[in-house]
């Protein structure tokens, strides 16, 4: 039985944090990349891990998922140009692997997004729509896109914005799903953010 792909964006260098790729940070004994892949598989998705710098090291830190099928790793060239390269590569690979199924996109630097959040979004998703997590009414991540929206957003992605512009341009297509009771999409961007996650390093 086919499963929707969950694209884990892990291709950044983490310049503002200054500790190398955030995907290699460890929390509770596992890298953030491994944590995100585990969450994707536990939610019933097929993980697609998008890698940039230190790709081999990040991939080696991730175990094959127990569920959701074999892990697919996508290496991105030109990742220095911003998130759009990774976003486009991951989504395009997901559409090749599971044509006709929605595509979920998860950011590796949001350890508060667990399988419960991803599962709720996948279950709430309706054909032809975009399903986006909300936290106290604030739009956030992850996001699940119908294949047509995923392909169009990939074509439009540029610079460091990923799907931001596409989501802004298509508000009527978005269904917000409240997830604050299940987790948080607070990201790890600068050193001060580490304080929210004791033991992260």
């Amino acid at each position: 039985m086919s499963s929707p792909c969950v694209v884990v964006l892990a291709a950044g260098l983490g310049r503002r944090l200054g500790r190398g790729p955030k995907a290699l940070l460890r929390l509770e004994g596992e890298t953030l990349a491994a944590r995100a892949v585990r969450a994707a598989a536990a939610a019933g998705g097929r993980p697609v891990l998008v890698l940039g710098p230190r790709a081999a090291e990040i991939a080696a830190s991730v175990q094959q998922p127990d569920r959701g099928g074999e892990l697919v790793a996508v290496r991105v060239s030109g990742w220095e140009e911003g998130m759009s390269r990774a976003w486009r590569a991951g989504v395009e690979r997901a559409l090749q692997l599971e044509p006709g199924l929605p595509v979920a996109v998860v950011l590796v630097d949001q350890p508060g997004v667990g399988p419960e959040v991803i599962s709720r979004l996948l279950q709430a998703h309706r054909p032809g729509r975009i399903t986006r997590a909300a936290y106290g009414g604030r739009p956030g991540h992850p996001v699940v896109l119908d294949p047509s929206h995923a392909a169009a957003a990939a074509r439009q992605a540029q610079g460091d914005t990923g799907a931001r512009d596409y989501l802004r341009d298509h508000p009527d297509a978005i269904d917000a799903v409240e997830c604050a009771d299940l987790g948080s999409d607070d990201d790890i961007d600068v050193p001060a953010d580490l304080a929210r996650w004791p033991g992260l390093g």
Side-chain angles (χ1 to χ4, degrees), residues 10 69 188:
I188 299 165

Side-chain angles (χ1 to χ4, degrees), residues 8-166:
V8 178
L9 297 182
L13 185 58
R15 288 188 180 91
R16 284 183 286 186
L17 188 62
R19 299 180 64 171
K22 290 180 278 187
L24 286 171
L25 293 175
R26 288 187 175 271
L27 181 63
E28 298 174 353
E30 64 182 346
T31 63
L32 293 189
R35 186 181 181 94
V37 166
R38 176 172 55 79
R46 183 176 185 181
V48 176
L49 181 63
V50 185
L51 301 167
R54 297 172 67 177
E57 188 177 351
I58 295 169
S61 78
V62 179
Q63 295 181 347
Q64 289 293 331
D66 294 329
R67 290 183 284 175
E70 184 178 355
L71 172 68
V72 175
V74 178
R75 298 194 181 194
V76 179
S77 60
W79 51 266
E80 304 93 334
E81 297 176 18
M83 184 187 294
S84 62
R85 291 296 291 266
W87 207 96
R88 188 181 307 116
V91 168
E92 289 177 349
R93 184 67 175 127
L95 292 171
Q96 291 171 357
L97 289 168
E98 300 291 353
L101 292 185
V103 179
V105 181
V106 175
L107 307 183
V108 78
D109 64 351
Q110 296 179 341
V113 172
E116 300 83 4
V117 172
I118 301 169
S119 179
R120 177 176 287 180
L121 293 176
L122 290 174
Q123 291 178 20
H125 182 74
R126 295 183 293 157
R129 304 291 293 172
I130 300 170
T131 310
R132 187 173 190 180
Y135 301 87
R138 174 186 57 79
H141 290 88
V143 62
V144 180
L145 302 98
D146 179 83
S148 61
H149 286 296
R155 290 192 297 269
Q156 183 175 329
Q158 59 183 341
D160 201 34
T161 62
R164 185 185 308 159
D165 292 344
Y166 187 85

